[in-house]
């Protein structure tokens, strides 16, 4: 491997902060040559990610992750809170006596924490002799790899391109689908401010959300607090609408009719790649062609989650969750399931296309509800609204039929029956899935073939015949074999972009979740972001040690994974208490 002196990082949110943190921890490996790090972000302030940015979130939006679960930076969240003055804590609406590792706070609190931690890490890197070039409020239009020449160009508006030796793409979420506010349709809930009524006004009509997980609850909480109050009556939270807001009501649409599971105690708050299934065992489970079967994971989930009334289930689960957190009693099946699916995430490219389809339709919705782990206060808000007749959960698959006349018409399919309903406001809260390869923001990589569409090959070519006609465009033939378009761009185990020729790009890595979920579907959350950053830095260290680029074969890749799974400072200063994985 040729040592590099110039590193570019596109996007400076949480993933980039962890990348810089691991770079700092391993600086002795890179100190002889690494001289410049160029940082680009479209936001003015670096070190602020979309989920916590006060310009995209709201004061009533709570985190679903506690200090105990946040991979440590220079200072853990709870230690950082203790370092603040009483006035600074008051601005966060936090009492010093209430600071706790298992507590969850407003989303803007980790925003301030991460920005401050970025500042400290940047200062430490500068002290090690690395020059940081910060480009805030900057849009990167393209990344051009001069394969026959020297360097990678990062092209930014109204400036000369910045030439570096390596680039890591960490742009994170990008909700760029168009809204239609004139018909009450919003393609995403971010920024939350676009959904809020004008001061003194109320929405006296039904508001629908597509999805019933944490993003939907953010919408519910933001709007409910502007239409009423949540006093306590006889020890329970209740909802009382403001005068003039009697017509306010919300409807959550969920394909399966599920609400998120609640915050719970865990024995090990940090997911690791090899805990319940070690590397050797996992390698041995691959068949003669190299595929890994999904059956054992599907069976585990199918046995654990059945309910007719999700609000009744949440009320029953509240007792167990309270007991779990109050007495420190882990709920083992949830933790084990989460661990197994986290492990599967980093080996998802071993699954045949048949299992990709099963994961998409059988597992994803269930998994997102289990790991979402809603804070108990948030659940009490939902229950209070439901008891007041202001919140309903409707099962069934929803499609947008029409946007006209100031309304959005949706179709709800339940058990083969379809009915329609019109909303004055309808918000898509399904989150961001894999982007289409044509929407990849750095199109020159697609055009010249150094990046390519992510696909999964079928174990049996005839299995592709089972894909319905409506999904036929999801099929593609590669090298005489049928494959399924899995979404986003292809990456190898080290997050290197993979070209149309199957060769990984040695100079460009992409850890942005919307770009890579076709290969890494469980890429959301701080722990997964930290693991991806650790894999990138560990792969560079291994390259320097070996003196040549790493191979993409499974033995080499899993060797790097096993290395980052070893106990380290990732959890050294963290107590065993936990809330829930974001």
């Amino acid at each position: 491997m040729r040592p590099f002196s110039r590193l570019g990082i596109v996007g400076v949110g949480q993933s980039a902060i962890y990348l810089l943190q691991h770079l700092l921890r391993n600086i002795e490996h890179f100190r002889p040559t690494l001289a410049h790090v160029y940082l680009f972000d479209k936001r003015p302030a670096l070190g602020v990610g979309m989920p916590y940015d006060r310009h995209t979130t709201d004061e009533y939006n709570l985190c679903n992750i506690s200090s105990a679960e946040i991979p440590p930076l220079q200072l853990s969240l709870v230690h950082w809170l203790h370092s603040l003055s009483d006035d600074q804590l008051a601005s966060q609406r936090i009492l010093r006596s209430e600071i706790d590792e298992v507590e969850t706070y407003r989303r803007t609190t980790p925003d301030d924490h991460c920005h401050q931690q970025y500042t400290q890490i940047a200062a430490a890197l500068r002290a090690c002799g690395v020059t940081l070039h910060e480009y805030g409020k900057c849009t990167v239009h393209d990344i051009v790899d001069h394969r026959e020449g020297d360097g990678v160009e990062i092209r930014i508006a109204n400036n000369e391109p910045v030439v570096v030796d390596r680039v890591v793409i960490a742009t994170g979420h990008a909700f760029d689908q168009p809204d239609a506010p004139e018909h009450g349709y919003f393609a995403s809930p971010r920024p939350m401010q676009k959904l809020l009524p004008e001061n003194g006004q109320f929405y006296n009509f039904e508001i629908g959300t597509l999805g019933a997980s944490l993003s939907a609850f953010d919408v519910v909480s933001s709007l409910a607090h502007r239409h009423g109050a949540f006093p306590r009556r006889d020890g329970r939270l209740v909802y009382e609408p403001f005068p003039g807001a009697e017509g306010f009501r919300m409807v959550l649409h969920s394909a399966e009719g599920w609400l998120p599971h609640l915050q719970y105690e865990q024995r090990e708050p940090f997911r690791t790649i090899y805990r319940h299934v070690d590397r050797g065992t996992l390698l041995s489970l691959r068949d003669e062609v190299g595929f890994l079967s999904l059956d054992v994971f599907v069976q585990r989930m199918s046995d654990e989650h059945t309910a007719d009334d999700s609000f009744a289930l949440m009320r029953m689960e509240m007792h167990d969750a309270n007991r779990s957190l109050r007495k420190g009693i882990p709920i083992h099946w949830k933790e084990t399931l989460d661990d197994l699916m986290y492990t599967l995430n980093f080996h998802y490219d071993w699954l045949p296309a048949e299992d990709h389809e099963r994961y998409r339709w059988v597992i994803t919705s269930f998994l997102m509800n289990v790991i979402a782990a809603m804070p108990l206060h948030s659940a009490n808000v939902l229950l209070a609204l439901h008891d007041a007749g202001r919140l309903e959960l409707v099962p069934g698959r929803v499609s947008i039929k029409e946007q006209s006349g100031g309304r959005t018409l949706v179709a709800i399919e339940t058990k083969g029956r379809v009915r329609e309903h019109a909303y004055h406001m309808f918000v898509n809260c399904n989150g961001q899935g894999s982007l289409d390869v044509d929407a990849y923001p750095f199109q020159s990589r697609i055009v010249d073939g150094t990046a390519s569409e992510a696909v999964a090959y079928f174990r049996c070519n005839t299995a592709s015949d089972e894909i319905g006609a409506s999904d036929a465009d999801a099929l593609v033939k590669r090298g005489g074999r049928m494959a399924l378009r899995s979404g986003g761009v292809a990456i190898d185990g080290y997050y290197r972009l993979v070209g149309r020729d199957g060769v990984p790009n040695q100079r460009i890595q992409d850890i942005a979740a919307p770009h890579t979920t076709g290969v890494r579907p469980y890429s959301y959350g701080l722990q997964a972001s930290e693991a991806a950053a650790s894999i990138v830095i560990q792969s560079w260290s291994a390259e320097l040690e070996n003196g040549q680029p790493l191979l993409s074969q499974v033995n080499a890749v899993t060797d790097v994974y096993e290395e980052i799974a070893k106990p380290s400072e990732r959890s050294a200063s963290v107590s065993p208490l936990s809330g829930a994985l974001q």
Side-chain angles (χ1 to χ4, degrees):
M1 170 194 175
R2 192 172 100 185
F4 58 93
S5 64
R6 302 163 299 177
L7 170 64
I9 301 176
V10 181
V12 193
Q14 278 73 31
S15 294
I17 294 175
Y18 284 113
L19 192 74
L20 293 171
Q21 170 87 339
H22 283 288
L23 185 64
L24 178 61
R25 287 176 178 167
N26 294 272
I27 195 63
E28 292 304 321
H29 294 166
F30 306 102
R31 193 196 293 270
T33 58
L34 181 61
H36 300 274
V37 176
Y38 297 84
L39 300 150
F40 306 86
D41 199 280
K42 61 185 179 182
R43 298 180 179 87
L46 304 188
V48 178
M50 187 282 296
Y52 309 115
D53 188 342
R54 61 183 67 253
H55 296 101
T56 61
T57 189
D58 180 49
E59 61 178 318
Y60 295 111
N61 297 161
L62 298 180
C63 293
N64 64 310
I65 186 167
S66 66
S67 176
E69 294 171 287
I70 299 175
L73 292 165
Q74 298 294 290
L75 204 61
S76 72
L77 176 61
V78 73
H79 285 103
W80 175 73
L81 288 173
H82 276 301
S83 74
L84 300 181
S85 68
D86 289 344
D87 287 343
Q88 289 172 319
L89 285 175
S91 71
Q92 301 281 351
R93 299 188 184 178
I94 297 172
L95 296 176
R96 190 172 301 279
S97 60
E98 295 176 347
I99 298 174
D100 195 291
E101 287 183 328
V102 299
E103 187 58 76
T104 56
Y105 302 100
R106 294 186 303 162
R107 287 188 184 272
T108 51
T109 296
D111 172 351
D112 296 334
H113 171 243
C114 285
H115 178 66
Q116 191 265 358
Q117 295 300 288
Y118 163 77
T119 302
Q120 286 194 4
I121 295 168
L125 284 168
R126 290 187 179 102
C128 291
V130 179
T131 300
L132 268 61
H133 307 265
E134 298 175 321
Y135 293 79
K137 208 172 183 180
C138 170
T139 299
V140 173
H141 291 289
D142 206 357
I143 297 171
V144 180
D145 185 13
H146 296 290
R147 289 176 292 175
E148 306 302 326
D150 183 30
V152 181
E153 283 188 12
I154 299 176
R155 295 184 175 176
I156 55 181
N158 303 321
N159 282 281
E160 291 293 321
V162 175
V163 180
V164 298
D165 303 304
R166 293 211 171 190
V167 175
V168 180
I169 299 166
T171 48
H173 298 277
F175 293 111
D176 53 6
Q177 293 300 308
D179 296 328
E182 68 276 16
H183 303 304
Y185 177 77
F186 297 91
S188 82
R190 311 291 177 192
M192 189 64 65
Q193 290 76 10
K194 69 185 179 183
L195 305 179
L196 305 181
E198 298 290 335
N199 288 336
Q201 296 184 7
F202 298 121
Y203 296 147
N204 275 303
F205 46 77
E206 278 190 339
I207 299 165
T209 71
L210 178 58
S213 193
L214 295 175
S215 292
F217 175 72
D218 284 345
V219 175
V220 170
S221 180
S222 291
L223 295 181
H225 279 89
R226 286 168 172 82
H227 289 80
F230 289 89
R232 286 195 171 272
R233 299 279 186 268
D234 300 323
R236 291 180 60 181
L237 204 68
V238 299
Y239 183 69
E240 295 179 350
F242 293 142
E246 289 80 9
F248 170 74
R249 188 171 181 273
M250 297 201 68
V251 179
L252 309 177
H253 289 274
S254 166
E256 296 79 12
W258 294 341
L259 289 170
H261 279 257
L262 301 182
Q263 179 185 9
Y264 62 95
E265 179 73 16
Q266 301 175 62
R267 178 184 296 171
E268 299 286 348
F270 286 99
R271 304 281 79 87
T272 59
I273 296 177
Y274 299 125
R275 175 176 289 146
H276 296 287
V277 183
D278 61 43
R279 174 187 176 226
T281 300
L282 204 58
L283 286 168
S284 72
L285 292 177
R286 301 170 74 230
D287 63 21
E288 65 280 0
V289 184
F291 286 127
L292 175 68
S293 172
L294 190 58
D295 285 337
V296 64
F297 298 101
V298 173
Q299 185 60 47
R300 174 70 186 188
M301 284 185 292
S302 298
D303 292 343
E304 294 287 359
H305 193 91
T306 54
D308 293 326
D309 184 337
S310 287
F311 287 103
L313 177 65
M314 177 174 279
R315 202 178 299 281
M316 289 187 295
E317 189 186 3
M318 184 73 76
H319 175 269
D320 291 340
N322 266 309
R323 177 173 174 267
S324 170
L325 293 172
R326 187 175 63 254
K327 296 187 175 182
I329 301 173
I331 300 179
H332 295 292
W333 77 264
K334 292 183 182 181
E335 183 177 350
T336 301
L337 173 60
D338 200 356
D339 263 332
L340 288 170
M341 299 314 298
Y342 186 80
T343 296
L344 179 63
N345 175 67
F346 292 95
H347 305 84
Y348 188 68
D349 45 339
W350 295 6
L351 300 182
E354 294 92 331
D355 279 345
H356 276 244
E357 283 291 276
R358 296 168 67 197
Y359 187 98
R360 181 185 305 172
W361 297 111
V362 179
I363 294 176
T364 300
S365 295
F366 176 86
L367 179 62
M368 290 300 105
N369 279 276
V370 171
I371 67 173
M374 177 178 287
L376 302 191
H377 175 73
S378 301
N380 282 320
V381 167
L382 281 184
L383 292 172
L385 286 165
H386 179 66
D387 291 344
R390 306 291 170 160
L391 182 65
E392 180 184 1
L393 177 66
V394 174
R397 297 196 177 277
V398 171
S399 57
I400 308 298
K401 295 291 291 184
E402 185 179 82
Q403 297 170 2
S404 64
R407 294 188 178 192
T408 294
L409 181 68
V410 303
I412 306 114
E413 181 181 353
T414 309
K415 297 180 180 179
R417 299 181 61 186
V418 178
R419 64 183 180 89
E420 296 181 347
H421 191 82
Y423 286 100
H424 286 291
M425 176 182 281
F426 191 80
V427 187
N428 188 335
C429 298
N430 258 354
Q432 186 167 31
S434 297
L435 84 171
D436 187 272
V437 71
D438 293 334
Y440 191 62
F442 312 113
Q443 277 294 302
S444 66
R445 305 281 50 74
I446 305 298
V447 172
D448 72 7
T450 55
S452 62
E453 186 176 29
V455 300
Y457 291 98
F458 286 91
R459 176 186 282 114
C460 174
N461 264 351
T462 58
S464 62
D465 296 337
E466 300 173 10
I467 300 292
S470 61
D471 295 321
D473 59 352
L475 299 178
V476 63
K477 183 169 280 190
R478 294 281 178 87
R481 297 174 63 191
M482 291 304 299
L484 179 73
R485 292 186 168 101
S486 52
V489 293
I491 56 169
D492 71 358
Y494 313 115
Y495 291 86
R496 298 182 297 199
L497 290 178
V498 175
R500 284 197 297 266
D501 56 4
V503 176
N505 189 306
Q506 304 297 332
R507 301 197 282 195
I508 304 177
Q509 286 160 289
D510 195 329
I511 59 175
H515 303 168
T516 62
T517 47
V519 183
R520 296 286 178 265
Y522 185 173
S523 295
Y524 296 96
L526 295 183
Q527 293 190 11
S529 296
E530 189 268 347
S534 180
I535 288 168
V536 169
I537 299 298
Q538 182 61 33
S539 71
W540 294 349
S541 296
E543 284 185 24
L544 286 169
E545 186 176 333
N546 295 336
Q548 59 186 3
L550 296 181
L551 299 174
S552 293
Q553 277 82 356
V554 294
N555 282 324
V557 171
T558 55
D559 188 52
V560 168
Y561 292 175
E562 190 171 50
E563 188 64 30
I564 73 160
K566 292 178 180 177
S568 68
E569 62 271 269
R570 292 175 71 205
S571 57
S573 63
V574 180
S575 87
L577 297 174
S578 74
L581 184 63
Q582 180 188 2

